[in-house]
Amino acid sequence: MAPAPVEEIPRCYASPVNVSVSDPSTPDLPRLRPVSGRASRPRGIYDLSLPELETRVRDLGFPAYRGRQLWSWAYRQFVTDFSEMSNIPSALRDALATETPVSLLEPSRTVATDDGETIKTLYRTADDQVLETVLMLYPNRATVCVSCQVGCAVGCAFCATGLMGLARNLGAGEMVAQVVGAAREARQRGRELTNIVMMGMGEPLQNYAETMKLVSIVHDPAGLNIGARRITLSTSGIVPKIDALADEPLQIKLAVSLHAPDDELRSRLVPVNRRYPIATLMAAVDRYIAKTGRRVSFEYALMRGINDSEKTAYDLATLLRGRLCHVNIIPLNPVDMLPYERPDPEGIERFANAVRTAGIPTTVRYSRGLDIDAACGQLRAKELSFSAARAPK
Ligand code: SAH
Ligand code: SF4
């Protein structure tokens, strides 16, 4: 039987910085000041599910159908200003505007590349955090790459976001705002948003509840109506949450950032591997596949001289053989300061072929938007150093 076609996962991510594998302690980005507590996280309309919005509206003394009307303004018209919601009584608009703003994010910069097919937006949150979102337009789909945290606590050696440390989790509404913003951008170009990848800044499985809430809101058929199979969640391998994900009713896709077939190398590249080593991770992936019947995608950031030898390809294939999976090779995204290099095209093909020949379906994905720092973390880092340079001493 011919193998099922592998749907490629678009990539937007990458964030190399000045650090070596053996010494991941020399980031040249400022580390973030952690912001703790759910209470400090701004909340708005995008944090509410449709039933919650209806309840809110009823609590304010209005009929529940007003909730549906608001929902339609927010998710069908992409309106962010209550004053534009012409069929909503002004008393309700005013009541909501003070307590439950529509969007919690202020776009501070938008840049486009790839002939306008990749659009990156830098947002500021209400508490002045900075984050990034990328919209990628393809002939047959439009995909948004969403950030789920400001920074990340995992600290992968080759990732700028990780080296910033974690400032705070984003709320569901702040993630939904990124999706709606991308949907609006797509519509302005005559397109509809079709796919979501959780591959921006942050580790979605370390912000599990809010990420699941985002999924349920964007999936709502009365709103954005994005099918669960069009939502991909990427993780560095937070094992208990992979198990939790397997129990979720919605059929979202899972991508696991593997990057190395052995514990010694993976622990250096992806430090959370010390907590959940490869055997533990693979056991969780197997449980996930057994429960859901869904194919898992393994991401593999290819770095010259680090994880790109033929032996490593063979070890990778041996590790993955027999699993319902495929490998997504991401040639490392280069930046000036990076000691890691992307292998040359022949080296990338050689590695991909070796894994393929050993029986594992493999695709190579180049990141979009290299010339606009579409690498998550890069534009943000530039914006921050720019702001710091302007700040009064
Ligand atoms: N935290 C999650 C999701 C966001 S990162 C995770 O790690 O899976 C999305 C993907 O981009 C991950 O596979 C990550 O390893 C990869 N990535 C990070 N920095 C990269 C870089 N410099 N070049 C290529 N891929 C990179
Ligand atoms: Fe970057 Fe993902 Fe690693 Fe976090 S888990 S440091 S976002 S690659």
Side-chain angles (χ1 to χ4, degrees):
M1 202 175 71
V6 172
E7 195 191 322
E8 293 186 357
I9 298 176
R11 303 218 36 81
C12 62
Y13 199 91
S15 40
V17 286
N18 188 14
V19 63
S20 80
V21 172
S22 54
D23 177 19
S25 61
T26 53
D28 90 330
L29 295 170
R31 285 193 74 82
L32 295 167
R33 188 172 37 86
V35 181
S36 62
R38 291 172 70 88
S40 64
R41 194 179 306 153
R43 297 285 177 183
I45 276 203
Y46 292 146
D47 283 284
L48 304 177
S49 64
L50 178 52
E52 286 169 344
L53 182 57
E54 288 171 333
T55 304
R56 181 95 194 87
V57 163
R58 262 199 312 266
D59 289 349
L60 290 166
F62 293 86
Y65 77 87
R66 295 291 185 197
R68 265 187 187 264
Q69 290 179 321
L70 286 160
W71 192 260
S72 173
W73 282 114
Y75 296 116
R76 289 287 163 98
Q77 318 299 328
F78 310 141
V79 163
T80 51
D81 189 340
F82 282 111
S83 66
E84 288 176 41
M85 302 183 181
S86 49
N87 61 352
I88 307 289
S90 54
L92 176 56
R93 287 191 244 158
D94 293 347
L96 286 168
T98 42
E99 280 176 44
T100 329
V102 181
S103 185
L104 300 163
L105 299 182
E106 197 57 51
S108 68
R109 194 132 65 103
T110 299
V111 275
T113 191
D114 298 327
D115 288 333
E117 303 290 273
T118 304
I119 301 110
K120 181 158 188 161
T121 306
L122 198 72
Y123 288 106
R124 273 182 193 272
T125 65
D127 58 345
D128 220 25
Q129 301 287 343
V130 179
L131 58 102
E132 305 170 349
T133 309
V134 185
L135 169 66
M136 294 159 289
L137 301 173
Y138 297 89
N140 57 352
R141 65 188 189 280
T143 301
V144 61
C145 179
V146 172
S147 292
C148 65
Q149 297 179 317
V150 181
C152 180
V154 176
C156 297
F158 51 89
C159 173
T161 303
L163 289 162
M164 294 168 196
L166 176 66
R168 70 165 169 88
N169 284 337
L170 293 177
E174 291 169 315
M175 292 187 246
V176 171
Q178 298 173 58
V179 177
V180 175
R184 192 184 309 108
E185 287 275 355
R187 188 174 290 172
Q188 280 163 6
R189 292 163 171 82
R191 305 286 303 272
E192 285 297 310
L193 186 71
T194 56
N195 293 60
I196 298 177
V197 291
M198 298 304 298
M199 293 185 183
M201 299 169 69
E203 168 52 59
L205 294 191
Q206 289 187 333
N207 188 13
Y208 188 85
E210 299 293 324
T211 300
M212 287 304 126
K213 180 128 200 214
L214 154 88
V215 169
S216 72
I217 291 172
V218 301
H219 181 259
D220 192 298
L224 287 165
N225 193 23
I226 303 211
R229 287 161 192 256
R230 293 178 174 276
I231 302 172
T232 301
L233 208 146
S234 174
T235 180
S236 55
I238 313 297
V239 163
K241 297 299 184 192
I242 293 177
D243 283 324
L245 204 57
D247 290 329
E248 294 287 342
L250 290 178
Q251 306 201 323
I252 50 184
K253 288 186 176 175
L254 175 65
V256 174
S257 298
L258 192 58
H259 306 317
D262 64 87
D263 282 326
E264 199 269 321
L265 179 57
R266 189 165 194 271
S267 292
R268 282 193 281 146
L269 296 175
V270 185
V272 78
N273 191 70
R274 294 188 198 112
R275 180 98 187 267
Y276 305 114
I278 289 178
T280 310
L281 175 60
M282 287 301 158
V285 168
D286 289 344
R287 290 192 293 276
Y288 178 91
I289 294 171
K291 257 193 196 160
T292 64
R294 292 198 290 275
R295 183 194 296 264
V296 169
S297 144
F298 287 99
E299 294 161 277
Y300 196 95
L302 200 62
M303 298 169 233
R304 191 211 297 262
I306 303 283
N307 62 356
D308 66 339
S309 71
E310 289 207 29
K311 168 154 186 342
T312 313
Y314 178 81
D315 290 347
L316 180 64
T318 306
L319 174 70
L320 299 182
R321 191 163 297 125
R323 294 190 164 91
L324 182 62
C325 71
H326 79 278
V327 170
N328 222 334
I329 291 173
I330 318 155
L332 189 86
N333 237 5
V335 285
D336 299 344
M337 307 169 288
L338 183 71
Y340 304 131
E341 291 167 342
R342 168 185 288 202
D344 56 29
E346 294 75 38
I348 295 168
E349 245 343 279
R350 207 177 315 119
F351 186 88
N353 269 333
V355 183
R356 224 175 266 133
T357 309
I360 310 295
T362 302
T363 48
V364 179
R365 299 294 302 163
Y366 285 86
S367 298
R368 282 269 192 121
L370 294 183
D371 53 334
I372 53 165
D373 299 308
C376 282
Q378 290 180 4
L379 189 63
R380 180 187 183 282
K382 276 196 182 163
E383 174 79 2
L384 289 190
S385 48
F386 180 63
S387 313
R390 284 184 313 173
K393 293 272 179 298

